[in-house]
Amino acid sequence: MGGYWSSKKDPEENAEKKKKKRKRGAEPDGHEGKRLLVANPYVLKRTGSMFFDEDGDLAHEFYCEERTYSQSGPRWSMRQIVDNLRPQGEVDLLFPRLHVDFPIVLMEVVSSSVHTAHK
């Protein structure tokens, strides 16, 4: 058929190109404008609150014991380490939790036979 600059266009060729260009998530039955929304109401991971130090130790806070000298003699104090710490990253949850921003209504369905009045 025609090349790139050809003025004649084959309708079958255009239909094949459209099928190939179908975007991920588009409806397979030809509804190109609609996309499938897939949402998960569960949270499976969270951001860790601990840090790794230079040695690979994992903790919330790191301290270094320092010896200072004063007129009354040597003193020991604790100084918090804030340099050279790497965040823990993503942590798997033991069991899934519901996402806070997911619009879902949780309710209990009670059978109708319990609420009917018996005469």
Side-chain angles (χ1 to χ4, degrees), residues 107-119:
M107 59 183 278
E108 181 180 344
V109 178
V110 181
S111 66
S112 61
S113 62
V114 175
H115 294 293
T116 57
H118 295 290
K119 293 185 181 180

Side-chain angles (χ1 to χ4, degrees), residues 21-22 25 34 42 45-46 50 60 74 77 106 113-114:
K21 286 185 180 180
R22 180 177 289 145
K34 294 183 181 180
Y42 301 110
K45 293 185 178 198
R46 67 172 177 84
M50 295 196 274
H60 286 284
S77 63
L106 299 176
S113 62
V114 175

